[in-house]
Amino acid sequence: MFRTALRNVFAHKARLLMTVLAVMLGVAFVSGTLVFTNTISDAFQKSSAKGFDQVDVAMTADYQDAEGDRVGKLHDLNQAVLGKSERVPGAASAIGVVQGFTAIADKDGKLIGEGFQSQGGNYWGAQDPRYPLASGHAPKGPGEILIDSETAKRAGYEVGDTVRMSVDGPVLTPKISGIFTTDDGNVAAGGSLTLFDTATAQKVLGKPGVYDQIVVKAKPGVSQTALKAELDKAMPEGTVATTTGRQLADDQAESISRSMSGMQTALLVFAGIALFVGTFIIANTFTMLVAQRTKELALMRAVGASRRQVTRSVLIEAFVVGAVAAVTGLVAGIGIGAGLRSLMGSFGGTVPDGPLVVKPATIVAALAVGILVTMLAAWLPGRRAAKIPPVAAMNSLHAKATTKSLVLRNTLGALLSAAGVAVVLVASTMDGSDGQMPMGFGAVLLIIGVFVLTPLLSRPLIAAAAPLLRVFGVSGKLARQNSVRNPRRTAATASALMIGLTLITGMTVMAGSLQQAIEKMASSSVKADYVVSMANGNPLSPDVEQKLRQTDGVSATSPMLNAESRIDGQSEYLTGVNGAAIGELAGPKVDSGSFKVGGNQVVVDGETAKIYGWKAGSSFSASFEDGEKQKLTVAGTYESNEFLRGILLDEKVLAPHVSDPYNMKVMVKTSDGPSGATQDKLEKALGTNPAIKVQDKQDITNEIAQMFTLMLNMVYGLLAMAVIVAILGVINTLAMSVFERSQEIGMLRAIGLDRKGIKRMVRLESLVISLFGAVLGIGLGVFFGWAAGELLATKMATYELVLPWARMGLFLLLAATVGVLAALWPARRAARLNMLEAIKAE
């Protein structure tokens, strides 16, 4: 049986090629994902470990009080602590580390990198071992800085250039005294690192005479653990926390591994989809191969082969095909991993240097996935062939599925589909987080159910295309009949395309609806022309609002002053706003009462009001930061959103109780309305500060929507793999269908159908199958997009379903294009058949 299986593999090389390609693509995606994520993770881990080469023990301030509770006063790491750590037995040297936010602008005045990735620090002495200088010299005084080599390259800066930069205060214009190299992860991810001399860093980062961390280097022969023990003994208990450099490196490696696992999981999900789609092709291929060899298998049964041996011979063929596909897929996957790494560079991402990592687990996973998927897909056709009685098989009585099997299949499909729809509908009525798992389960049930029902659905849906196919005469009529001749094969081919388009359409529906919801939220909630905030999300200096208020053309401003309070024993943040102007600057939907702030009157978002049982007219007491209490009255409740939430009260009431007031945002209304000139005027009033963002409504909308757009584009790219596999499935089905119908095609040629007619027939058949899969996929995608949107609507009041008709039309057009392109080779092959040889073929 083993020799027979091998002979069949070599006898059907061309027919098995598409199967090998389908499995290979899926395996390549899996192995490429593993190689890419392992390589990136390894490179970052080794790079971060280098950053701890100069750290044997790191000391940080501890929040412990005398009782050991982590609530005590912060003990500063000052010069005295630094000097003491240097004198500890076993210590060779100690460096004080200062860290903070520093925004540096490019030559156009725009912030380099994202705000949270723009970091600043100190350069220790004349030669800091942490940051090797590539050129220039160490910074001296407030007029000089160092920048990292990646930032210098991106912005085109050189030693001696003057740059615009800011910390949390006014704009600074120091000169670049030098450029250094670093393995810092933020820099590798596209951020920037700016270094001052230590005294300047402490001053501009708001930490005079204080360090964020002290790193201690051990003397030769002294272990990190021994040095840590000495430092713990030397420092008063509860004042500092010590960690070995090895532990810091391990923690960093674990953090990187966790961050990469999310990307790896997402990529593997799409690899799984590609493989799932590939199983249809494999099952199709082996179904047709087994059908074509039915007499051969029946003869084997007649001469003594058991059912198990027949099934085993099919599985051996599948094993050989799977092994070949898995090995080639693994090789291709290694290339994909290397390509993805290079691609990151072209998109502006920086990855530390390092070797391509191919772990044994990756090899095992690739081989196991390729072989197991192929064997599982081939098992059902092999089992079905083995159950056919030898006499019936040799007389071709096996051709049609029994009525019992069709009834069973349709009943099972209807039950699964109904259960899936019911679970999804129930999940759509649940809260956003609670409904995610049930909805995912219902979606899987529905997709499986529709797949099982696809043979039944194919007849009425393909019949609907009959009027259009009549235009093409005999070729169109034959194409329609061929499409429904073998419903199972048509269903398996169309299902591959259906799954890809279901996911693409669902994501497109959600993305379009979210985009509109965000725009609606911005236009309805924010009446201000501009919202001003820090690039890194930190609080704004109080003088920002003062400067904006004094700017020509500004008609109203309001800060958003955040402060903590205690209400009914619970910690609750209050937001201070300009009570007189807030009505001009914000206009959220009011649920009850009025949106009036002033004196002891406050407005509260609906969720907070529900928690405390408040309504318009309710009163409560709030304890401020300084211990003072005040009775406040709820003037009204409003619908919370991304811009406004919580308890809003007049800043004149809140500010006197806050020792260090800070504004998270400032809303601005101008007399001339938003324009490029007005925005420039506001930016100039703030000193063209790269650390401060001045955004209009469209900027805010784009910033929020950017994440969804990026995710959608990534999904399109990843699902393209599944669509490519689906295309291979259409080609495979048509090619094998042409082979199966060789005698029929020869007869059609003999009675007068020319080569153009044959080609047209095959192309139309492919077109109909592809559009059938597309209609099912788009229909399911819209349903899932609607259901997922219902979950989102519980968290986003402005969410409404938006059907992207243009995009869906484009998807149908692409499906039609796929059908036409997939039919090119099979149609050409069918047209070139020798009619006499085809008629004689069995």
Side-chain angles (χ1 to χ4, degrees):
M1 297 303 293
F2 181 73
R3 287 197 301 272
T4 303
L6 286 180
R7 181 183 61 80
N8 285 324
V9 169
F10 289 114
H12 303 116
K13 293 190 291 291
R15 277 177 272 170
L16 290 169
L17 178 62
M18 293 298 173
T19 303
V20 171
L21 282 173
V23 180
M24 185 198 76
L25 281 172
V27 172
F29 205 168
V30 171
S31 55
T33 295
L34 294 173
V35 168
F36 170 66
T37 51
N38 288 336
T39 297
I40 299 299
S41 179
D42 183 72
F44 275 114
Q45 285 176 15
K46 287 180 178 176
S47 175
S48 67
K50 286 180 188 175
F52 296 108
D53 284 348
Q54 302 299 320
V55 181
D56 285 322
V57 178
M59 300 167 58
T60 53
D62 204 347
Y63 286 85
Q64 290 184 354
D65 59 15
E67 284 72 37
D69 296 326
R70 304 189 70 82
V71 294
K73 181 185 176 183
L74 174 62
H75 297 276
D76 290 334
L77 295 178
N78 51 29
Q79 195 64 34
V81 177
L82 177 67
K84 196 171 185 178
S85 64
E86 283 182 309
R87 296 190 295 273
V88 164
S93 62
I95 295 175
V97 179
V98 184
Q99 297 170 324
F101 166 67
T102 302
I104 183 168
D106 59 20
K107 292 184 177 180
D108 296 324
K110 302 298 182 183
L111 177 68
I112 297 175
E114 298 293 335
F116 65 90
Q117 295 173 330
S118 301
Q119 300 296 316
N122 67 312
Y123 189 82
W124 190 256
Q127 191 171 359
D128 193 329
R130 298 172 300 164
Y131 307 113
L133 284 175
S135 60
H137 60 82
K140 299 172 185 175
E144 293 186 342
I145 61 166
L146 296 177
I147 64 171
D148 67 89
S149 56
E150 289 298 327
T151 298
K153 189 193 304 180
R154 285 196 293 268
Y157 282 134
E158 296 178 354
V159 174
D161 287 347
T162 298
V163 298
R164 293 182 63 82
M165 60 172 297
S166 175
V167 185
D168 283 335
V171 174
L172 306 173
T173 54
K175 282 188 176 182
I176 299 173
S177 68
I179 295 171
F180 64 92
T181 58
T182 179
D183 294 311
D184 187 275
N186 280 321
V187 174
S192 63
L193 180 59
T194 309
L195 302 179
F196 307 86
D197 67 79
T198 300
T200 303
Q202 289 175 322
K203 182 180 178 181
V204 300
L205 296 174
K207 302 163 185 174
V210 177
Y211 302 105
D212 293 292
Q213 189 182 65
I214 293 174
V215 297
V216 186
K217 187 74 176 170
K219 289 179 179 177
V222 178
S223 69
Q224 292 184 356
T225 307
L227 180 59
K228 179 182 182 301
E230 290 294 340
L231 286 166
D232 287 340
K233 282 194 294 183
M235 301 297 162
E237 187 177 351
T239 58
V240 297
T242 57
T243 311
T244 63
R246 190 177 298 108
Q247 183 62 50
L248 288 172
D250 290 344
D251 291 345
Q252 183 83 348
E254 186 179 344
S255 174
I256 291 170
S257 182
R258 280 199 305 269
S259 65
M260 293 302 297
S261 68
M263 181 196 294
Q264 188 178 75
T265 301
L267 289 171
L268 286 174
V269 165
F270 289 102
I273 292 169
L275 279 171
F276 183 58
V277 170
T279 57
F280 295 118
I281 300 176
I282 301 164
N284 245 2
T285 302
F286 277 93
T287 298
M288 287 185 278
L289 285 175
V290 168
Q292 290 164 14
R293 288 166 38 213
T294 303
K295 289 187 178 181
E296 175 190 327
L297 294 175
L299 185 60
M300 289 169 61
R301 290 285 313 282
V303 298
S306 65
R307 286 184 177 182
R308 186 174 296 176
Q309 285 178 310
V310 170
T311 304
R312 194 183 301 147
S313 72
V314 175
L315 290 178
I316 290 170
E317 289 182 50
F319 175 83
V320 174
V321 171
V324 172
V327 171
T328 53
L330 175 61
V331 173
I334 294 171
I336 288 173
L340 286 173
R341 177 175 172 169
S342 300
L343 198 61
M344 281 190 71
S346 65
F347 283 116
T350 306
V351 181
D353 291 333
L356 205 63
V357 178
V358 184
K359 293 185 177 180
T362 301
I363 298 172
V364 172
L367 294 175
V369 165
I371 293 169
L372 286 176
V373 166
T374 309
M375 292 184 70
L376 284 172
W379 175 75
L380 191 60
R383 183 172 174 270
R384 193 183 298 135
K387 290 175 72 174
I388 299 172
V391 174
M394 284 189 279
N395 285 281
S396 300
L397 298 177
H398 65 289
K400 293 184 180 179
T402 63
T403 303
K404 181 180 177 182
S405 70
L406 290 174
V407 169
L408 181 64
R409 177 176 181 137
N410 293 338
T411 303
L412 179 63
L415 290 173
L416 286 170
S417 300
V421 170
V423 173
V424 169
L425 290 176
V426 170
S428 67
T429 63
M430 301 168 71
D431 183 67
S433 53
D434 296 335
Q436 290 176 4
M437 289 296 289
M439 185 165 290
F441 177 67
V444 171
L445 283 179
L446 180 55
I447 287 175
I448 294 173
V450 170
F451 167 65
V452 175
L453 276 178
T454 308
L456 179 66
L457 297 173
S458 64
R459 289 187 178 277
L461 287 177
I462 291 176
L468 292 174
L469 292 173
R470 286 197 193 102
V471 175
F472 299 96
V474 175
S475 297
K477 183 178 180 181
L478 290 171
R480 185 184 65 79
Q481 291 174 346
N482 290 333
S483 301
V484 295
R485 177 185 294 183
N486 192 331
R488 290 188 178 184
R489 184 194 304 157
T490 298
T493 305
S495 296
L497 201 57
M498 175 192 79
I499 292 169
L501 282 175
T502 295
L503 294 167
I504 290 173
T505 305
M507 291 297 296
T508 303
V509 168
M510 286 180 61
S513 302
L514 276 170
Q515 179 72 36
Q516 179 168 295
I518 292 165
E519 290 175 359
K520 188 175 179 182
M521 183 193 302
S523 60
S524 62
S525 301
V526 180
K527 295 181 181 178
D529 295 324
Y530 295 98
V531 176
V532 180
S533 61
M534 288 290 288
N536 65 337
N538 281 357
L540 286 161
S541 172
D543 66 353
V544 169
E545 194 215 351
Q546 295 172 14
K547 289 180 181 178
L548 290 169
R549 195 186 310 135
Q550 295 164 5
T551 303
D552 182 41
V554 172
S555 58
T557 64
S558 174
M560 297 188 74
L561 170 65
N562 278 21
E564 194 173 4
S565 70
R566 302 285 293 180
I567 299 173
D568 293 346
Q570 301 292 321
S571 178
E572 197 72 54
Y573 271 91
L574 305 175
T575 301
V577 297
N578 183 343
I582 190 65
E584 295 180 62
L585 299 164
K589 180 183 177 184
V590 178
D591 294 328
S592 65
S594 62
F595 193 72
K596 291 183 179 178
V597 177
N600 70 338
Q601 285 196 314
V602 302
V603 291
V604 186
D605 72 276
E607 292 178 12
T608 304
K610 186 178 180 182
I611 291 171
Y612 290 101
W614 297 335
K615 57 185 179 180
S618 298
S619 296
F620 64 93
S621 291
S623 297
F624 298 117
E625 181 186 296
D626 59 359
E628 294 288 328
K629 287 187 178 180
Q630 182 159 341
K631 192 173 183 180
L632 302 171
T633 302
V634 178
T637 61
Y638 66 93
E639 205 170 70
S640 64
N641 53 56
E642 294 294 319
F643 306 103
L644 285 178
R645 62 178 68 246
I647 303 169
L648 308 184
L649 75 163
D650 199 308
E651 62 164 327
K652 294 176 183 176
V653 175
L654 181 60
H657 303 287
V658 181
S659 59
D660 186 18
Y662 60 87
N663 301 327
M664 294 308 296
K665 295 175 183 174
V666 175
M667 292 184 283
V668 181
K669 188 81 172 175
T670 60
S671 53
D672 297 332
S675 68
T678 303
Q679 188 165 352
D680 288 341
K681 187 191 295 183
L682 295 177
E683 289 176 349
K684 285 177 182 176
L686 298 173
T688 318
N689 194 323
I692 298 176
K693 295 189 296 186
V694 179
Q695 298 175 296
D696 61 16
K697 292 180 187 178
Q698 192 58 49
D699 292 332
I700 295 169
T701 301
N702 292 342
E703 187 175 65
I704 298 172
Q706 185 178 14
M707 178 180 64
F708 301 111
T709 304
L710 182 66
M711 183 175 65
L712 185 65
N713 289 338
M714 186 182 75
V715 168
Y716 282 162
L718 293 171
L719 287 176
M721 181 69 76
V723 174
I724 290 170
V725 174
I727 292 170
L728 289 175
V730 177
I731 296 172
N732 196 34
T733 299
L734 289 173
M736 300 194 77
S737 179
V738 166
F739 179 85
E740 198 175 66
R741 303 201 313 263
S742 295
Q743 192 174 52
E744 175 188 318
I745 291 170
M747 190 66 72
L748 289 170
R749 288 289 316 282
I751 60 175
L753 192 62
D754 60 10
R755 288 186 174 182
K756 285 185 179 180
I758 295 291
K759 283 183 179 180
R760 193 180 301 120
M761 177 188 73
V762 176
R763 287 171 187 161
L764 289 172
E765 182 182 345
S766 175
L767 182 66
V768 166
I769 293 173
S770 297
L771 288 175
F772 168 54
V775 168
L776 286 179
I778 291 171
L780 284 173
V782 168
F783 176 68
F784 291 140
W786 165 82
E790 291 298 299
L791 289 183
L792 285 172
T794 62
K795 301 292 184 183
M796 187 178 287
T798 55
Y799 185 91
E800 289 181 6
L801 180 67
V802 175
L803 293 180
W805 294 106
R807 286 280 180 99
M808 291 192 293
L810 179 63
F811 295 158
L812 275 175
L813 182 62
L814 287 174
T817 305
V818 164
V820 172
L821 292 176
L824 290 178
W825 178 64
R828 185 169 176 270
R829 187 171 180 269
R832 294 179 66 183
L833 283 175
N834 184 295
M835 67 179 78
L836 294 178
E837 290 181 3
I839 291 170
K840 289 190 296 180
E842 290 193 19

